[in-house]
Amino acid sequence: MKKVIIGVVAIAIIALVVVGIVMISKNNENGGVSKNAKMQTVEEMQTTLNNIYTKLGEQLPSIDTMEIDVTDELAVKAATGLQSTANVEAVVLSEPMMSSQAYSAVFVKTAKGADVEKMKQEMLDNIDTRKWICVTAEKVYVTNHENIIFLVMASEDWAKPVYDEFKNAVDGKIGKELSKTEEI
């Protein structure tokens, strides 16, 4: 009887080790972008963006990622297109400091009970794709993962891979997808 119990325990331990190894190798196959990325803090949102950029490599210009002060309504409006900060808890903006290319990615953490779908539509409708004056973002994508709204705008060549990597980072668990194409 003792030998049977020891055998069962040994098999269970071996199974746990194998599962752990498989999970670690799966994460490495994903290029370090973890599935179901946590994004409830500014740091977690920044980490998610940095992981996306790492996975995409040299495809994008040098990017600066920063928190936007949600008490600064003008800065929030410029970054997100939202007309009010009433349902905004945090904003993380990612743009090149200097570039001749239009690129912007933004996370908006919404307040509990906020109408996320309405906020996404407001962002799509009001984001200024010409805010760089000399260049225009050709494509805008907006979606959400739970209470986090994600918007990216750039040329199709830059916006689509970033958008797809965001969806990958949250294991495809997103809300309604919105997009628009600007005339350039």
Side-chain angles (χ1 to χ4, degrees), residues 1-183:
M1 184 69 159
K2 259 186 172 177
K3 287 182 181 181
V4 172
I5 292 172
I6 291 172
V8 170
V9 170
I11 290 171
I13 290 171
I14 291 170
L16 288 172
V17 170
V18 169
V19 168
I21 290 169
V22 168
M23 291 179 74
I24 289 169
S25 67
K26 268 284 197 217
N27 190 38
N28 289 340
E29 287 174 13
N30 292 331
V33 178
S34 64
K35 296 288 185 173
N36 293 315
K38 293 183 179 180
M39 293 178 283
Q40 293 303 306
T41 68
V42 168
E43 293 78 19
E44 290 169 343
M45 289 184 266
Q46 290 171 329
T47 297
T48 299
L49 278 169
N50 289 335
N51 288 342
I52 288 169
Y53 297 151
T54 298
K55 179 141 187 191
L56 294 175
E58 298 296 320
Q59 297 178 26
L60 299 169
S62 178
I63 308 276
D64 285 325
T65 302
M66 68 203 90
E67 179 179 13
I68 302 295
D69 180 1
V70 295
T71 64
D72 184 346
E73 288 196 22
L74 289 175
V76 171
K77 182 178 178 182
T80 68
L82 291 169
Q83 306 299 303
S84 166
T85 60
N87 288 307
V88 176
E89 286 189 10
V91 176
V92 172
L93 175 67
S94 189
E95 293 183 341
M97 286 302 279
M98 296 182 97
S99 177
S100 61
Q101 300 293 321
Y103 177 83
S104 183
V106 65
F107 280 118
V108 175
K109 180 180 179 184
T110 64
K112 188 174 183 174
D115 186 340
V116 173
E117 293 302 322
K118 182 178 175 184
M119 291 176 72
K120 287 177 1 189
Q121 188 64 54
E122 183 179 345
M123 289 172 68
L124 182 72
D125 292 344
N126 295 312
I127 194 70
D128 184 2
T129 57
R130 291 175 166 76
K131 69 180 179 177
W132 300 276
I133 301 170
C134 297
V135 293
T136 300
E138 167 191 6
K139 194 71 177 187
V140 180
Y141 291 100
V142 184
T143 193
N144 69 292
H145 171 70
E146 299 170 352
N147 66 324
I148 303 295
I149 299 172
F150 179 69
L151 176 145
V152 61
M153 64 178 175
S155 67
E156 179 72 13
D157 293 343
W158 287 356
K160 184 71 169 140
V162 172
Y163 184 69
D164 288 343
E165 283 305 320
F166 168 76
K167 294 190 298 185
N168 186 44
V170 297
D171 201 21
K173 295 178 180 171
I174 59 169
K176 182 178 177 183
E177 297 179 84
L178 306 175
S179 67
K180 70 178 177 181
T181 304
E182 292 289 337
E183 290 184 31

